[in-house]
Amino acid sequence: MTEPNLSIEFAGLTLKNPVFTASGTCGYIDELAAFMDVSALGGFTTKSITLYPRKGNFTPRIVETDAGMLNAIGLANIGLDRFLREKVPLIAQYDTAVFVNVAGRTIDEYVAVTERLSQEKAIAGFELNISCPNVKKGGITFGTDPQQVETITQTVKKVAGAKPLMVKLTPTVTDITVTARAAIAGGADALSMVNTFTAMVIDIEARRPILANRTGGLSGPAIKPIAVYLVQRVYREVAKLAGIPILGMGGIRNASDAAEFLIAGATAVAVGTASFIRPDCCQSVLDGLHDYCRRHKIANIRDLTGTLQD
Amino acid sequence: MTEPNLSIEFAGLTLKNPVFTASGTCGYIDELAAFMDVSALGGFTTKSITLYPRKGNFTPRIVETDAGMLNAIGLANIGLDRFLREKVPLIAQYDTAVFVNVAGRTIDEYVAVTERLSQEKAIAGFELNISCPNVKKGGITFGTDPQQVETITQTVKKVAGAKPLMVKLTPTVTDITVTARAAIAGGADALSMVNTFTAMVIDIEARRPILANRTGGLSGPAIKPIAVYLVQRVYREVAKLAGIPILGMGGIRNASDAAEFLIAGATAVAVGTASFIRPDCCQSVLDGLHDYCRRHKIANIRDLTGTLQD
Amino acid sequence: MKHRSAQSSRIFTAVVRQHRIIRPRYRLLTLELDAKGSAAFASVMPGQFVEIDAGPLSLPQDKDIPAELLDSAKRNIMLRRPFSFSAIRHKGNKFEIDISYHVVGPSTVRLTTLVPGDSLNLIGPLGNGFRIDQSRPIAVLIAGGMGAPPIQHLAAHLKSHHPDMRVTAFIGARSLDEIPFDIGTDPDGGIIFPAFSSVGVPHAMTTDDGSFGVKGFVTQLVEKLLVPGPFQTDKAILYACGPEPMLTAVSRLAAKIGVHCQLSMERMMACGIGLCQSCAIKTRDPQAEDGWSYRLCCKDGPVLDGKDVIFD
Amino acid sequence: MKHRSAQSSRIFTAVVRQHRIIRPRYRLLTLELDAKGSAAFASVMPGQFVEIDAGPLSLPQDKDIPAELLDSAKRNIMLRRPFSFSAIRHKGNKFEIDISYHVVGPSTVRLTTLVPGDSLNLIGPLGNGFRIDQSRPIAVLIAGGMGAPPIQHLAAHLKSHHPDMRVTAFIGARSLDEIPFDIGTDPDGGIIFPAFSSVGVPHAMTTDDGSFGVKGFVTQLVEKLLVPGPFQTDKAILYACGPEPMLTAVSRLAAKIGVHCQLSMERMMACGIGLCQSCAIKTRDPQAEDGWSYRLCCKDGPVLDGKDVIFD
Ligand SMILES: Cc1cc2nc3c(=O)[nH]c(=O)nc-3n(C[C@H](O)[C@H](O)[C@H](O)COP(=O)(O)OP(=O)(O)OC[C@H]3O[C@@H](n4cnc5c(N)ncnc54)[C@H](O)[C@@H]3O)c2cc1C
Ligand SMILES: Cc1cc2nc3c(=O)[nH]c(=O)nc-3n(C[C@H](O)[C@H](O)[C@H](O)COP(=O)(O)OP(=O)(O)OC[C@H]3O[C@@H](n4cnc5c(N)ncnc54)[C@H](O)[C@@H]3O)c2cc1C
Ligand SMILES: Cc1cc2nc3c(=O)[nH]c(=O)nc-3n(C[C@H](O)[C@H](O)[C@H](O)COP(=O)(O)O)c2cc1C
Ligand SMILES: Cc1cc2nc3c(=O)[nH]c(=O)nc-3n(C[C@H](O)[C@H](O)[C@H](O)COP(=O)(O)O)c2cc1C
Ligand code: FES
Ligand code: FES
């Protein structure tokens, strides 16, 4: 058999393979580059960028749980200006599709960041973070109301220029197909799912939450079966018909996990928390997917998407 | 210090301690009795009882996940008549508050089961299962719509006689305080939370879901931090003011886990999945809570409820 | 006075005494039960099982994990796993049990790290084993793949408790690599399984690919040898354990030649003790409106009467 | 041509060479690094650290877990944990490192099961260690509790690389039970820590409860001995590692007596390599509008200049 072709079409882009980093878990790009060949990745999602720098929450910002962790980083980031000055030139050095994850308190902030970056050649596209559970304003409050999802997507899409706009969905809604439809109605070119689940760990000796922010977002293998279910549901009920690709994530740590998401309906997958334990995890996911395709005689990995049987 | 007092007031009942079994994880009562002294428990929740016997789903009905498992038992149970004939006499032999978990396809079925059992001296109260993700009709469809939650609670409450009615909430809603309020408006005497999260595991070799039912409910330590958060939220925003106790559950496997739920706002706690691994788990939770109270000089465990600091 | 149930004596600790590699993916673990466990095992029957908690065990290094299990086997373990015994022996006033296992996933990969002296937490013995039918002294034992351990145990049990019975064993495996026993030779150079020959049970072997023994499915061999023979069907019984397709074939064969059979079934089990209802097996039930109901593999089984099991 | 970054040489394997119990809850683990790790460690500095993956290790039996950790320590582990080194030695063309650790939770409880020959996966060396200030040859080393390992490493480093410096060490612990070193006696019967005396560093000890050494906090002793002495503040520097309250006190003391100090900080770390931003430390930043910004303990630290750290 000839070598499997791992390239995919994703929101109008041709990517060399379906493996991305998840926002907030691999820095701006150079942090990860010390540990793996970032240019081997199909895509890279940056830490959330906001219009102004954000210091983020007090510490502790993380706590480990069974097969997972909570984080309440609070969108700590260097802000648009420094990102443009310091990080965009670095990003330009890597041969991967870099999506900037955009966050804000108001729609205007999302618009300002996207508009400014829509001109940057080094940036492949955007991921709209309307699902971060760790900030007081913006974040998840936008993401749970279908009307707001549509409005913000539509407004930001107008200023994204030719670059694709991905909308990141929160899993903490009664019916995720409703918000998925709203994002697509607003003009989303792709859906990314899922973000973390709001959760809490209590220190029973001090009787206070461990996290300074009290609550944090649960990520890691613990949430994987829920994420797979949600991707599968959105694919079957919404995305497939709409022809909109899904970037699937939640607990992926090896190629088998990634394959589950692809079979469920994702066109690409992102590795988040697992990079903390194995900073070269994306590479091994990639290698493993290659092997999986060979073993199953899948000539084009894009043909794996949504092949879940009834 | 004198020995801590573990007894609690729960929905009008005085219970010897705050440790329950979770519905569906300890059979009708005799199954567990082979492994621990069931009369040591504060409460026991039966497997869901429906008006007519249910065979349940095809197998596989379970699959393990990281720090959790999915189940799609499908409310397999012997039905009201056989329950009355075979199980109620057994239940009468144990000295613990037995709550019958009631399920159905229609409100009439819930009413029929509750009405008939409201006469049984051996039964302490009811838990309304409006949150089971594993059946086509009833179950979770009732549980996500606040209006339906209120209606079903109200209707069933009318026939529950003097026995307390607990309503079991599903975690898969955008805002759980809304359904909690609806249950209380309908007359719930207690809230039990949380039920499982809908989830899926895919066999990547066969490219089908492992479970015959395709999806199942995720339980176990994986969901604990989400459950603690939800209990804490419902306690602060709804239950405390309403004076309605919460039976907290989701991944409890030891006394520290149980203490987290109590501190978060639960009045009692239920052990589910953990009994599969250690069938005497409830006993060790009980012993450990006793030690915790001694160590923290808590004279009455009921004073621990909701002591989470800001 | 309200009823107070006794604390269970069936949750106990066992210490690893021996651990042998039989084939790359097949191992033999010898466990010495503590006093509580030994008491619980006093009247154990072949076909019963234990639930092992492999959660606390370490994960081998990558190089010691079969390549195709690298992803799946690293998953955290929460639930216990059911295993039957291939042998049980008195050891002073304690019992020693042998567990033959196949390395297939997270728990069995972790079991490979056990060394003598290590401890394991067990629940058992659980379920109902084979019920020896005294009125049917022609016992035909059929094992497929990892169904072999309880069949080996049954062979030894029948020979020691029912010396007058005529016991024959048929063992099937996919290939030579998947034979879970030691292979030996008899004085004439013939190939034998000491597991059966040591207790005087004649035995035959099939492999699907013909790499060892007779080529074909074990049930085909059984059919060939039994059906035409001088064979009193009302004095015979088939005792079988193996994968579901094999048990289906055994059940069909038994019906066809008109003999009784007992089948040791498998299901994914969350608890092994009747709490969770995950291990349902479809069985004939004249009482039920539609003629069938589920029984629990862990409590009502794992050994069920062949005529009761419905194979779809 | 687009940039292709090199594969990392900092993810590697180490083999356990020795494992000693120093005190019931304190152990000393000696690891031999593989070739890749040894190369990465060629220019390691005291205060740097490794991230250890204890996830694959087994859980001890209940009786071998401190009672108060029974619940918390059984939790599954996902993340690595940071540990610094108390010593580093050449061993042929490889390096051997000593890790002194305190058993406090799921990872450190699992570490206790390691025996010589076992392997561990490590990432490191990570972060910035102590920067030896050559213009300040009076080096005062201060350790509190589990802050001791990098201070011990620093003592040895200073004596071998900067023999002209005047190095003194002050070590504080809560009580005798929590001294993470071996205790020895000098020829006169005086009590010493071989960890320091073997490299010729005079040292003094405090315990909060007076069960060993001078009663009180280590910073109190430092203040008493240093401040009144004939002591050239512009030639001196404090190097400290320990719990945050101790570091706060060191930073105050340094400011009060007008000497420089370097502090090795701790934060809960999810990654240890700058990916997650979990390990933020509040530091002075004249560039920032409000005069402060966060630095990352894992990348910018763990050792920071005392005057930069803001203790709230
Ligand atoms: C009564 C009884 C007695 C038994 N006796 C023995 C015995 O004596 N010796 C023995 O070796 N075994 C025995 N078994 C089988 C044994 O219990 C299983 O092999 C064991 O549970 C494997 O555990 P594991 O964690 O290694 O693998 P698991 O993860 O439990 O996987 C076991 C099998 O299930 C399938 N599976 C599970 N999850 C997935 C998934 N996500 N995707 C695809 N496939 C999946 C796989 O095909 C795999 O081979 C017995 C079973 C029963 C019910
Ligand atoms: C740069 C650096 C160097 C270090 N060097 C060393 C060293 O050389 N030796 C050494 O022993 N340690 C060292 N540490 C500390 C070490 O990393 C921790 O002790 C280790 O992470 C403990 O891991 P654990 O899994 O055993 O416990 P964890 O679960 O990680 O707990 C560690 C501590 O965190 C607190 N905690 C965590 N979760 C909870 C919870 N749910 N409720 C209440 N409290 C909680 C507890 O108080 C506990 O003592 C260093 C740390 C850093 C940052
Ligand atoms: C430490 C941490 C920081 C994160 N920061 C962001 C962020 O800035 N923006 C965002 O959209 N998602 C963020 N996420 C969510 C991840 O991108 C991802 O959706 C989630 O963690 C699930 O994937 P995982 O289980 O593979 O980590 C963060 C997750 C973690 C663990
Ligand atoms: C095998 C299994 C069967 C269950 N059956 C029921 C049921 O019949 N009715 C119900 O209300 N909840 C049922 N549940 C949900 C549990 O009562 C509990 O809400 C959930 O498992 C979370 O708790 P845990 O993590 O401790 O298991 C079941 C859970 C499991 C694992
Ligand atoms: S495995 Fe739980 S009932 Fe059989
Ligand atoms: S621990 Fe992740 S950035 Fe420091």
mmCIF file with all atom_site columns, all heavy atoms in Angstrom, chain D residues 39-52:
data_model
loop_
_atom_site.group_PDB
_atom_site.id
_atom_site.type_symbol
_atom_site.label_atom_id
_atom_site.label_alt_id
_atom_site.label_comp_id
_atom_site.label_asym_id
_atom_site.label_entity_id
_atom_site.label_seq_id
_atom_site.pdbx_PDB_ins_code
_atom_site.Cartn_x
_atom_site.Cartn_y
_atom_site.Cartn_z
_atom_site.occupancy
_atom_site.B_iso_or_equiv
_atom_site.pdbx_formal_charge
_atom_site.auth_seq_id
_atom_site.auth_comp_id
_atom_site.auth_asym_id
_atom_site.auth_atom_id
_atom_site.pdbx_PDB_model_num
ATOM 1   N N   . ALA D 1 39 ? 23.449 14.152 28.800 1.00 0.00 ? 39 ALA D N   1
ATOM 2   C CA  . ALA D 1 39 ? 23.863 15.262 27.939 1.00 0.00 ? 39 ALA D CA  1
ATOM 3   C C   . ALA D 1 39 ? 23.131 16.537 28.338 1.00 0.00 ? 39 ALA D C   1
ATOM 4   O O   . ALA D 1 39 ? 23.730 17.612 28.436 1.00 0.00 ? 39 ALA D O   1
ATOM 5   C CB  . ALA D 1 39 ? 23.586 14.912 26.478 1.00 0.00 ? 39 ALA D CB  1
ATOM 6   N N   . ALA D 1 40 ? 21.826 16.390 28.597 1.00 0.00 ? 40 ALA D N   1
ATOM 7   C CA  . ALA D 1 40 ? 21.033 17.571 28.956 1.00 0.00 ? 40 ALA D CA  1
ATOM 8   C C   . ALA D 1 40 ? 21.477 18.158 30.287 1.00 0.00 ? 40 ALA D C   1
ATOM 9   O O   . ALA D 1 40 ? 21.303 19.350 30.554 1.00 0.00 ? 40 ALA D O   1
ATOM 10  C CB  . ALA D 1 40 ? 19.553 17.206 29.001 1.00 0.00 ? 40 ALA D CB  1
ATOM 11  N N   . PHE D 1 41 ? 22.080 17.341 31.139 1.00 0.00 ? 41 PHE D N   1
ATOM 12  C CA  . PHE D 1 41 ? 22.463 17.794 32.475 1.00 0.00 ? 41 PHE D CA  1
ATOM 13  C C   . PHE D 1 41 ? 23.880 18.357 32.553 1.00 0.00 ? 41 PHE D C   1
ATOM 14  O O   . PHE D 1 41 ? 24.342 18.705 33.638 1.00 0.00 ? 41 PHE D O   1
ATOM 15  C CB  . PHE D 1 41 ? 22.304 16.648 33.491 1.00 0.00 ? 41 PHE D CB  1
ATOM 16  C CG  . PHE D 1 41 ? 20.974 16.662 34.173 1.00 0.00 ? 41 PHE D CG  1
ATOM 17  C CD1 . PHE D 1 41 ? 19.814 16.385 33.447 1.00 0.00 ? 41 PHE D CD1 1
ATOM 18  C CD2 . PHE D 1 41 ? 20.859 16.982 35.518 1.00 0.00 ? 41 PHE D CD2 1
ATOM 19  C CE1 . PHE D 1 41 ? 18.576 16.419 34.068 1.00 0.00 ? 41 PHE D CE1 1
ATOM 20  C CE2 . PHE D 1 41 ? 19.628 17.020 36.142 1.00 0.00 ? 41 PHE D CE2 1
ATOM 21  C CZ  . PHE D 1 41 ? 18.486 16.738 35.417 1.00 0.00 ? 41 PHE D CZ  1
ATOM 22  N N   . ALA D 1 42 ? 24.564 18.443 31.409 1.00 0.00 ? 42 ALA D N   1
ATOM 23  C CA  . ALA D 1 42 ? 25.973 18.834 31.433 1.00 0.00 ? 42 ALA D CA  1
ATOM 24  C C   . ALA D 1 42 ? 26.204 20.156 32.164 1.00 0.00 ? 42 ALA D C   1
ATOM 25  O O   . ALA D 1 42 ? 27.176 20.307 32.894 1.00 0.00 ? 42 ALA D O   1
ATOM 26  C CB  . ALA D 1 42 ? 26.509 18.902 30.008 1.00 0.00 ? 42 ALA D CB  1
ATOM 27  N N   . SER D 1 43 ? 25.296 21.110 31.999 1.00 0.00 ? 43 SER D N   1
ATOM 28  C CA  . SER D 1 43 ? 25.550 22.407 32.644 1.00 0.00 ? 43 SER D CA  1
ATOM 29  C C   . SER D 1 43 ? 24.426 22.781 33.609 1.00 0.00 ? 43 SER D C   1
ATOM 30  O O   . SER D 1 43 ? 24.010 23.916 33.695 1.00 0.00 ? 43 SER D O   1
ATOM 31  C CB  . SER D 1 43 ? 25.708 23.476 31.573 1.00 0.00 ? 43 SER D CB  1
ATOM 32  O OG  . SER D 1 43 ? 24.553 23.496 30.763 1.00 0.00 ? 43 SER D OG  1
ATOM 33  N N   . VAL D 1 44 ? 23.934 21.772 34.313 1.00 0.00 ? 44 VAL D N   1
ATOM 34  C CA  . VAL D 1 44 ? 22.832 22.015 35.249 1.00 0.00 ? 44 VAL D CA  1
ATOM 35  C C   . VAL D 1 44 ? 23.277 22.899 36.412 1.00 0.00 ? 44 VAL D C   1
ATOM 36  O O   . VAL D 1 44 ? 24.442 22.878 36.811 1.00 0.00 ? 44 VAL D O   1
ATOM 37  C CB  . VAL D 1 44 ? 22.284 20.656 35.755 1.00 0.00 ? 44 VAL D CB  1
ATOM 38  C CG1 . VAL D 1 44 ? 23.309 19.963 36.625 1.00 0.00 ? 44 VAL D CG1 1
ATOM 39  C CG2 . VAL D 1 44 ? 20.967 20.827 36.485 1.00 0.00 ? 44 VAL D CG2 1
ATOM 40  N N   . MET D 1 45 ? 22.358 23.698 36.925 1.00 0.00 ? 45 MET D N   1
ATOM 41  C CA  . MET D 1 45 ? 22.665 24.569 38.076 1.00 0.00 ? 45 MET D CA  1
ATOM 42  C C   . MET D 1 45 ? 21.759 24.210 39.254 1.00 0.00 ? 45 MET D C   1
ATOM 43  O O   . MET D 1 45 ? 20.611 23.816 39.064 1.00 0.00 ? 45 MET D O   1
ATOM 44  C CB  . MET D 1 45 ? 22.440 26.034 37.704 1.00 0.00 ? 45 MET D CB  1
ATOM 45  C CG  . MET D 1 45 ? 23.551 26.644 36.873 1.00 0.00 ? 45 MET D CG  1
ATOM 46  S SD  . MET D 1 45 ? 25.155 26.693 37.743 1.00 0.00 ? 45 MET D SD  1
ATOM 47  C CE  . MET D 1 45 ? 24.850 27.989 38.958 1.00 0.00 ? 45 MET D CE  1
ATOM 48  N N   . PRO D 1 46 ? 22.277 24.384 40.476 1.00 0.00 ? 46 PRO D N   1
ATOM 49  C CA  . PRO D 1 46 ? 21.434 24.157 41.655 1.00 0.00 ? 46 PRO D CA  1
ATOM 50  C C   . PRO D 1 46 ? 20.181 25.044 41.564 1.00 0.00 ? 46 PRO D C   1
ATOM 51  O O   . PRO D 1 46 ? 20.279 26.216 41.195 1.00 0.00 ? 46 PRO D O   1
ATOM 52  C CB  . PRO D 1 46 ? 22.318 24.597 42.824 1.00 0.00 ? 46 PRO D CB  1
ATOM 53  C CG  . PRO D 1 46 ? 23.719 24.513 42.307 1.00 0.00 ? 46 PRO D CG  1
ATOM 54  C CD  . PRO D 1 46 ? 23.641 24.797 40.845 1.00 0.00 ? 46 PRO D CD  1
ATOM 55  N N   . GLY D 1 47 ? 19.040 24.482 41.884 1.00 0.00 ? 47 GLY D N   1
ATOM 56  C CA  . GLY D 1 47 ? 17.784 25.230 41.809 1.00 0.00 ? 47 GLY D CA  1
ATOM 57  C C   . GLY D 1 47 ? 16.969 24.843 40.595 1.00 0.00 ? 47 GLY D C   1
ATOM 58  O O   . GLY D 1 47 ? 15.761 25.067 40.566 1.00 0.00 ? 47 GLY D O   1
ATOM 59  N N   . GLN D 1 48 ? 17.633 24.276 39.590 1.00 0.00 ? 48 GLN D N   1
ATOM 60  C CA  . GLN D 1 48 ? 16.849 23.756 38.469 1.00 0.00 ? 48 GLN D CA  1
ATOM 61  C C   . GLN D 1 48 ? 16.107 22.506 38.928 1.00 0.00 ? 48 GLN D C   1
ATOM 62  O O   . GLN D 1 48 ? 16.354 21.993 40.024 1.00 0.00 ? 48 GLN D O   1
ATOM 63  C CB  . GLN D 1 48 ? 17.776 23.433 37.293 1.00 0.00 ? 48 GLN D CB  1
ATOM 64  C CG  . GLN D 1 48 ? 18.272 24.684 36.592 1.00 0.00 ? 48 GLN D CG  1
ATOM 65  C CD  . GLN D 1 48 ? 18.933 24.335 35.264 1.00 0.00 ? 48 GLN D CD  1
ATOM 66  O OE1 . GLN D 1 48 ? 20.073 23.882 35.226 1.00 0.00 ? 48 GLN D OE1 1
ATOM 67  N NE2 . GLN D 1 48 ? 18.208 24.524 34.182 1.00 0.00 ? 48 GLN D NE2 1
ATOM 68  N N   . PHE D 1 49 ? 15.205 22.015 38.094 1.00 0.00 ? 49 PHE D N   1
ATOM 69  C CA  . PHE D 1 49 ? 14.382 20.892 38.546 1.00 0.00 ? 49 PHE D CA  1
ATOM 70  C C   . PHE D 1 49 ? 14.058 19.956 37.388 1.00 0.00 ? 49 PHE D C   1
ATOM 71  O O   . PHE D 1 49 ? 14.332 20.260 36.221 1.00 0.00 ? 49 PHE D O   1
ATOM 72  C CB  . PHE D 1 49 ? 13.111 21.398 39.229 1.00 0.00 ? 49 PHE D CB  1
ATOM 73  C CG  . PHE D 1 49 ? 12.184 22.176 38.332 1.00 0.00 ? 49 PHE D CG  1
ATOM 74  C CD1 . PHE D 1 49 ? 11.093 21.556 37.721 1.00 0.00 ? 49 PHE D CD1 1
ATOM 75  C CD2 . PHE D 1 49 ? 12.397 23.534 38.081 1.00 0.00 ? 49 PHE D CD2 1
ATOM 76  C CE1 . PHE D 1 49 ? 10.249 22.274 36.883 1.00 0.00 ? 49 PHE D CE1 1
ATOM 77  C CE2 . PHE D 1 49 ? 11.543 24.261 37.251 1.00 0.00 ? 49 PHE D CE2 1
ATOM 78  C CZ  . PHE D 1 49 ? 10.465 23.626 36.648 1.00 0.00 ? 49 PHE D CZ  1
ATOM 79  N N   . VAL D 1 50 ? 13.505 18.802 37.730 1.00 0.00 ? 50 VAL D N   1
ATOM 80  C CA  . VAL D 1 50 ? 12.986 17.855 36.728 1.00 0.00 ? 50 VAL D CA  1
ATOM 81  C C   . VAL D 1 50 ? 11.490 17.672 36.979 1.00 0.00 ? 50 VAL D C   1
ATOM 82  O O   . VAL D 1 50 ? 10.996 17.901 38.081 1.00 0.00 ? 50 VAL D O   1
ATOM 83  C CB  . VAL D 1 50 ? 13.660 16.464 36.802 1.00 0.00 ? 50 VAL D CB  1
ATOM 84  C CG1 . VAL D 1 50 ? 15.051 16.503 36.215 1.00 0.00 ? 50 VAL D CG1 1
ATOM 85  C CG2 . VAL D 1 50 ? 13.675 15.937 38.233 1.00 0.00 ? 50 VAL D CG2 1
ATOM 86  N N   . GLU D 1 51 ? 10.791 17.263 35.941 1.00 0.00 ? 51 GLU D N   1
ATOM 87  C CA  . GLU D 1 51 ? 9.376  16.903 36.073 1.00 0.00 ? 51 GLU D CA  1
ATOM 88  C C   . GLU D 1 51 ? 9.283  15.391 35.964 1.00 0.00 ? 51 GLU D C   1
ATOM 89  O O   . GLU D 1 51 ? 9.653  14.812 34.943 1.00 0.00 ? 51 GLU D O   1
ATOM 90  C CB  . GLU D 1 51 ? 8.555  17.565 34.959 1.00 0.00 ? 51 GLU D CB  1
ATOM 91  C CG  . GLU D 1 51 ? 8.278  19.040 35.178 1.00 0.00 ? 51 GLU D CG  1
ATOM 92  C CD  . GLU D 1 51 ? 7.033  19.277 36.028 1.00 0.00 ? 51 GLU D CD  1
ATOM 93  O OE1 . GLU D 1 51 ? 6.311  18.304 36.324 1.00 0.00 ? 51 GLU D OE1 1
ATOM 94  O OE2 . GLU D 1 51 ? 6.790  20.440 36.390 1.00 0.00 ? 51 GLU D OE2 1
ATOM 95  N N   . ILE D 1 52 ? 8.774  14.759 37.020 1.00 0.00 ? 52 ILE D N   1
ATOM 96  C CA  . ILE D 1 52 ? 8.710  13.295 37.082 1.00 0.00 ? 52 ILE D CA  1
ATOM 97  C C   . ILE D 1 52 ? 7.288  12.815 36.823 1.00 0.00 ? 52 ILE D C   1
ATOM 98  O O   . ILE D 1 52 ? 6.337  13.338 37.394 1.00 0.00 ? 52 ILE D O   1
ATOM 99  C CB  . ILE D 1 52 ? 9.176  12.797 38.468 1.00 0.00 ? 52 ILE D CB  1
ATOM 100 C CG1 . ILE D 1 52 ? 10.647 13.183 38.692 1.00 0.00 ? 52 ILE D CG1 1
ATOM 101 C CG2 . ILE D 1 52 ? 8.971  11.291 38.610 1.00 0.00 ? 52 ILE D CG2 1
ATOM 102 C CD1 . ILE D 1 52 ? 11.224 12.639 39.980 1.00 0.00 ? 52 ILE D CD1 1
#
